[in-house]
Amino acid sequence: MKEFTKKATHLFNSSLAIIVFILIWEICARLEIFNPVFFPPFSKVVKALYGLAASGELWKHCSISLMRSLSGFTLGMFVAIPLGLVIGWFKKAEVFLYPLLQVFRNMPTLALLPVFVMFFGIGEFSKTMVILWGVLWATLLNTIAGVRNVDPQLIKAARSMGVGSLRLFGTVVLPASLPYIFAGMRISATVSILILIAAEMMGASKGLGYALFFYQSNFKIPEMYAVLIVMAVFGVTLNYTLEKVEKRSFRWRDGADTP
């Protein structure tokens, strides 16, 4: 009972700011402090959200966006993590590739969308590739930083015990880099949502980004806000999941700050 009360109190404290925000939203809308056409009450948005969910339209857009986001994010991680480990570990690779990566990293992802469309067409693959490009950099650079920041004393001690390079990398460098990698993955997960929505708004016939643009264009404002809420929940859930995986993976770091 004591544990339940503690968890309930923690949940309430964590949700208090959100509850206050919703109340302020509802009150301001009811008092028509802002134009009610563009700022409907939160209760009206919830009603619209329920209508979209009941009709099945919301789930259709959510499933498509989820598939696009996860496919681009997963492919991006398969590229970013190995490449970051190689660049961080091999100095020659770092000297050769790092300047080029900095140039690519500073190119606006959405500005490259027309290029991806020219190369990969207007279908799903081009959207997956632009998400891959966008999520690549945070994890890649964090992985490089993780390898660079491995305690030199650990490496020196392992070498003094005759540990080979391959084993050294697997038992010392990689585990020490994992907190940085997970921190980069959490940033990339958020980026994947942002890029996905923008890409869907620019060229798609389904998905949350398309739904947002459609409702805004047709002045269905409560539905527009409902989609925005779903996007926020989507991003928070993805980040929360990665955070939980990270905590379970690094229980030995209890008491230490997560990057």
Side-chain angles (χ1 to χ4, degrees):
M1 185 64 182
K2 186 177 179 180
E3 185 67 24
F4 174 78
T5 304
K6 184 178 179 181
K7 288 184 178 180
T9 303
H10 176 72
L11 179 62
F12 176 77
N13 291 335
S14 301
S15 308
L16 186 58
I18 297 175
I19 295 171
V20 171
F21 173 75
I22 291 172
L23 289 174
I24 293 173
W25 180 347
E26 184 74 19
I27 293 169
C28 289
R30 293 292 178 184
L31 295 175
E32 297 188 1
I33 294 175
F34 305 104
N35 189 332
V37 175
F38 302 113
F39 193 70
F42 184 79
S43 55
K44 195 172 182 179
V45 174
V46 172
K47 185 178 179 180
L49 180 59
Y50 176 79
L52 291 174
S55 68
E57 188 173 354
L58 179 63
W59 310 117
K60 177 185 70 176
H61 292 304
C62 280
S63 60
I64 291 171
S65 291
L66 180 63
M67 180 188 68
R68 289 169 178 163
S69 179
L70 289 181
S71 59
F73 175 77
T74 303
L75 289 173
M77 296 307 97
F78 273 115
V79 174
I81 295 173
L83 185 60
L85 292 172
V86 169
I87 294 174
W89 183 244
F90 296 102
K91 296 299 181 184
K92 289 184 179 180
E94 179 186 343
V95 171
F96 181 70
L97 291 174
Y98 198 73
L100 181 63
L101 294 178
Q102 288 295 335
V103 172
F104 284 156
R105 183 177 74 91
N106 287 286
M107 290 183 180
T109 302
L110 294 178
L112 294 172
L113 184 57
V115 177
F116 284 101
V117 170
M118 284 192 298
F119 276 93
F120 304 115
I122 59 174
E124 295 298 319
F125 192 63
S126 62
K127 295 179 181 63
T128 300
M129 293 305 294
V130 77
I131 294 170
L132 184 156
W133 182 272
V135 305
L136 186 69
W137 307 108
T139 303
L140 174 62
L141 296 176
N142 262 43
T143 303
I144 294 171
V147 176
R148 284 178 176 175
N149 286 284
V150 176
D151 189 347
Q153 296 301 321
L154 290 176
I155 297 176
K156 188 175 181 181
R159 290 193 185 280
S160 68
M161 292 186 289
V163 177
S165 296
L166 187 60
R167 189 181 173 192
L168 171 66
F169 184 82
T171 58
V172 177
V173 177
L174 183 58
S177 305
L178 285 177
Y180 288 85
I181 294 173
F182 268 95
M185 289 175 66
R186 288 170 59 186
I187 297 172
S188 294
T190 303
V191 170
S192 72
I193 305 297
L194 299 176
I195 294 173
L196 167 70
I197 300 308
E200 288 179 340
M201 290 178 70
M202 293 174 67
S205 58
K206 295 176 183 177
L208 291 173
Y210 165 78
L212 179 68
F213 180 73
F214 175 82
Y215 293 134
Q216 182 267 331
S217 301
N218 289 275
F219 282 92
K220 294 185 175 182
I221 305 303
E223 286 80 2
M224 183 194 76
Y225 281 108
V227 173
L228 284 172
I229 290 172
V230 172
M231 291 176 183
V233 172
F234 189 18
V236 169
T237 301
L238 189 55
N239 184 72
Y240 178 79
T241 302
L242 288 172
E243 185 179 354
K244 283 295 182 183
V245 172
E246 182 181 5
K247 286 182 178 179
R248 287 182 178 273
S249 302
F250 304 116
R251 288 180 177 176
W252 51 272
R253 296 178 70 238
D254 285 348
D257 293 331
T258 302

